Amino acid sequence: MKTRNIIILGASLFFIMFASGFFFVVDQTKQVIVLQFGEPRAVHQTPGLKFKLPFIQNVVYYDSRVLNLDPAQEEVILRDQKRIVFDSILRYLIKAPLTFFPTPRTELALNDLFLSIVNSSFRGFIAQYQLNYLLSDERNKIMSEIFENVIEDQDNFCIEIVDLRF
């Protein structure tokens, strides 16, 4: 190959790589925050090809689907000194990524924070009752109290709790 063709090919590859830094793709299942020097500049919640400034702006992706938090089973001592093992599942949505970003920053950090909130709420309510009370018809009332206690914290993290099961 001639030297001229090699230079043209190299320049074309460099231009394609440089131009690809101007664009990013938002998937249907994602929400995106565009950061400029660490500060949020734009939020994209619709899918498609979007524009950003290379080397100045970077992109943070968040899932727009319902996410699961499934912590490990834990043991709780009840009021009558009986032990039970409980398992919980929490399903949530990130509803406002721009306000979600400063608090936990990542979905993994949110999982850690909410894991402690759910476990402490459950332990605090369940430890007040005896086993026979938990096995009666009052169980639904207790579970709704726990759910209401956990929901109080959802606005602090800009999420929406869809479901909580024990």
Side-chain angles (χ1 to χ4, degrees), residues 33-92:
I33 298 177
V34 178
L35 302 175
Q36 183 170 332
F37 302 118
E39 296 294 321
R41 292 291 175 217
V43 175
H44 300 286
Q45 294 179 314
T46 57
L49 186 64
K50 308 295 181 181
F51 176 78
K52 72 175 182 78
L53 298 173
F55 310 115
I56 296 174
Q57 295 179 333
N58 60 343
V59 178
V60 177
Y61 292 91
Y62 292 111
D63 215 328
S64 62
R65 298 177 287 187
V66 175
L67 301 171
N68 292 332
L69 174 60
D70 189 8
Q73 294 179 347
E74 292 205 24
E75 191 173 286
V76 177
I77 300 174
L78 300 176
R79 186 178 198 181
D80 57 357
Q81 300 303 312
K82 294 191 175 158
R83 296 174 184 259
I84 63 168
V85 176
F86 79 93
D87 190 19
S88 60
I89 296 175
L90 176 74
R91 291 185 175 86
Y92 65 94

Side-chain angles (χ1 to χ4, degrees), residues 70-127:
D70 189 8
Q73 294 179 347
E74 292 205 24
E75 191 173 286
V76 177
I77 300 174
L78 300 176
R79 186 178 198 181
D80 57 357
Q81 300 303 312
K82 294 191 175 158
R83 296 174 184 259
I84 63 168
V85 176
F86 79 93
D87 190 19
S88 60
I89 296 175
L90 176 74
R91 291 185 175 86
Y92 65 94
L93 287 166
I94 298 173
K95 61 182 179 179
L98 192 58
T99 51
F100 173 82
F101 176 73
T103 311
R105 288 200 178 259
T106 65
E107 294 167 13
L108 291 175
L110 176 73
N111 287 349
D112 290 341
L113 285 171
F114 245 78
L115 178 66
S116 64
I117 291 170
V118 170
N119 286 344
S120 65
S121 294
F122 188 80
R123 285 177 182 276
F125 278 95
I126 292 297

Side-chain angles (χ1 to χ4, degrees), residues 23-42:
F23 302 101
F24 64 95
V25 177
V26 179
D27 190 20
Q28 292 178 355
T29 62
K30 301 288 181 192
Q31 322 179 55
V32 172
I33 298 177
V34 178
L35 302 175
Q36 183 170 332
F37 302 118
E39 296 294 321
R41 292 291 175 217

